Amino acid sequence: MAKRYFVPPIPSSEITSEGAYLNRRQFMRAAGLTASTSLMGSLSATAHGAPTGGAELEYSQATDNSQGFYTAEKQTPFDDVTAYCNFYEFGTDKGDPERYAHNMTVDPWSIEVTGAVSKPGKLHLEDLLTGFELEERVYRLRCVEAWSMVVPWVGFSLGDLLKRFEPTGKARFVAFETLYKPSEMRGTRSFTSTIDWPYREGLRMDEAMHPLTLMAVGLYGKTLPNQNGAPVRLVVPWKYGFKSIKSIVRIHVLERQPQTTWEMMQPSEYGFYANVNPQVNHPRWSQATERRLPSTLFRPNRIPTRLFNGYEEQVAELYKGMDLSRDY
Ligand SMILES: Nc1nc2c(c(=O)[nH]1)N[C@H]1C(S)=C(S)[C@@H](COP(=O)(O)O)O[C@H]1N2
Ligand SMILES: [Mo]
């Protein structure tokens, strides 16, 4: 049976007796999962092929809108967020990730943190789900292809993670890598793929430490569907979507700017910064407007694109003195 979602790793010895039931509740609370999530529930949802989401997460609600953590804009429905995806490891069609990402093993999982840090090490799936205060953040996501969504993510600030590994004085950039596992990722086996796998992304240290920069472990209150980057992905809401790298297995802190996937493919079209900017057009199309999903041929729902995707107040400071049309 294909495992689509993270199922809490509970020893079967704990699932039988009354005492074990309490243990399981305690485990789930510790794991940031609510007791209403039954292991059986997760399994049967998978067995019936109904992608209704993963395990319930326990989180608080971000309310501090001055930080940009919450937009009251209409949220893009779960079905659109999970069916219209970019995850080239599974194919380049918008529907490919939903069709094929269930083949990806997301449990067990670990992220290795290396480079310019005093305490290099690993984070395991349990650490990601239990070791941080989870918060719901409702962000806009703007793809470079000129469509956008509003997504209620659940996660924690990347800065909280990085601090634990104690970046050194040489830490100026952070590089990220996605899982590369050809046996489970049909898109990476494609002869037409021009991507040099694994998918790579990067941020400047101050961007990485900005409170808006999120490590998401869920959406719509539940663990991430595989097609959206389970079990953990980056979300950088003021940058084009390709910066928001999915299914991260490695974080490398370094002194020099790392190479990134889209930049390597087509440097004239995709830059390292990739800040959303309606005035800097893509060489092949305008970035002045976007289609807000759900969007149809008859109701395209086209809206103006905003500088830094509407997070100017929070992030403009990071780019003071930079020429945004040169450092795109
Ligand atoms: N590993 C990986 N991460 C990725 C991508 C990808 O192809 N592979 N696509 C990116 C692009 S272009 C976008 S717009 C967002 C889309 O996220 P979503 O499918 O969850 O909406 O993921 C980004 N992260
Ligand atoms: Mo994108």
Side-chain angles (χ1 to χ4, degrees):
M1 181 178 65
K3 189 188 231 171
R4 197 178 186 102
Y5 300 109
F6 166 61
V7 174
I10 300 159
S12 53
S13 59
E14 284 197 8
I15 302 182
T16 41
S17 72
E18 164 90 341
Y21 172 71
L22 291 174
N23 285 344
R24 190 157 72 91
R25 285 178 61 108
Q26 281 154 6
F27 168 84
M28 293 177 105
R29 199 168 310 125
L33 306 168
T34 64
S36 65
T37 310
S38 81
L39 180 61
M40 290 315 288
S42 304
L43 285 172
S44 60
T46 308
H48 296 130
T52 52
E56 300 267 354
L57 290 164
E58 207 165 79
Y59 54 88
S60 62
Q61 195 93 38
T63 48
D64 189 357
N65 205 17
S66 67
Q67 294 204 74
F69 288 171
Y70 173 82
T71 172
E73 283 160 89
K74 190 172 187 294
Q75 294 175 15
T76 302
F78 179 88
D79 286 350
D80 295 282
V81 174
T82 56
Y84 192 90
C85 294
N86 275 336
F87 200 164
Y88 281 12
E89 284 82 341
F90 298 100
T92 52
D93 236 64
K94 290 289 180 287
D96 283 343
E98 189 192 34
R99 249 190 308 272
Y100 302 115
H102 59 85
N103 291 319
M104 176 171 63
T105 306
V106 299
D107 172 21
W109 191 272
S110 62
I111 299 183
E112 200 177 0
V113 185
T114 56
V117 289
S118 303
K119 295 185 170 162
K122 270 189 176 184
L123 281 173
H124 298 278
L125 186 57
E126 312 82 78
D127 306 323
L128 297 163
L129 295 173
T130 67
F132 299 88
E133 289 279 316
L134 300 181
E135 187 171 62
E136 180 171 77
R137 308 250 188 106
V138 185
Y139 284 173
R140 291 174 288 276
L141 177 83
R142 171 44 161 99
C143 176
V144 76
E145 299 161 336
W147 53 265
S148 67
M149 310 190 290
V150 174
V151 184
W153 303 106
V154 178
F156 53 87
S157 291
L158 171 66
D160 293 345
L161 182 157
L162 291 174
K163 278 181 219 148
R164 296 207 186 165
F165 296 87
E166 299 181 6
T168 69
K170 289 191 167 167
R172 292 191 53 229
F173 291 91
V174 186
F176 305 86
E177 277 180 26
T178 295
L179 175 72
Y180 173 53
K181 203 172 181 185
S183 63
E184 296 184 354
M185 296 171 146
R186 67 197 298 279
T188 68
R189 304 192 300 261
S190 159
F191 292 114
T192 57
S193 165
T194 56
I195 294 176
D196 178 17
W197 309 103
Y199 192 100
R200 274 164 264 198
E201 258 311 330
L203 294 171
R204 219 169 53 189
M205 199 63 192
D206 57 346
E207 299 176 323
M209 298 304 290
H210 194 283
L212 270 174
T213 303
L214 189 73
M215 287 292 270
V217 295
L219 59 79
Y220 275 102
K222 295 179 179 177
T223 51
L224 287 175
N226 283 4
Q227 63 265 35
N228 294 98
V232 60
R233 56 106 42 100
L234 192 69
V235 182
V236 193
W238 71 92
K239 292 178 179 285
Y240 289 120
F242 64 83
K243 299 294 290 185
S244 293
I245 182 172
K246 295 175 169 182
S247 305
I248 298 168
V249 292
R250 201 158 112 84
I251 296 178
H252 188 65
V253 180
L254 67 176
E255 202 169 355
R256 299 201 6 230
Q257 184 175 310
Q259 285 205 304
T260 59
T261 293
W262 287 57
E263 212 192 351
M264 289 187 315
M265 271 196 302
Q266 199 51 270
S268 62
E269 301 189 353
Y270 310 102
F272 177 82
Y273 285 96
N275 292 317
V276 175
N277 192 333
Q279 274 153 49
V280 178
N281 288 332
H282 185 279
R284 291 180 281 132
W285 60 83
S286 162
Q287 294 292 24
T289 64
E290 65 202 50
R291 284 185 303 117
R292 172 64 53 84
L293 301 186
S295 155
T296 65
L297 202 54
F298 302 105
R299 282 196 303 150
N301 203 15
R302 197 163 273 285
I303 59 172
T305 289
R306 298 159 68 187
L307 182 60
F308 297 115
N309 201 23
Y311 300 97
E312 183 176 4
E313 198 186 311
Q314 288 81 21
V315 303
E317 180 79 12
L318 299 175
Y319 309 101
K320 246 188 2 214
M322 272 176 59
D323 177 352
L324 296 175
S325 60
R326 206 197 53 207
D327 288 316
Y328 54 88

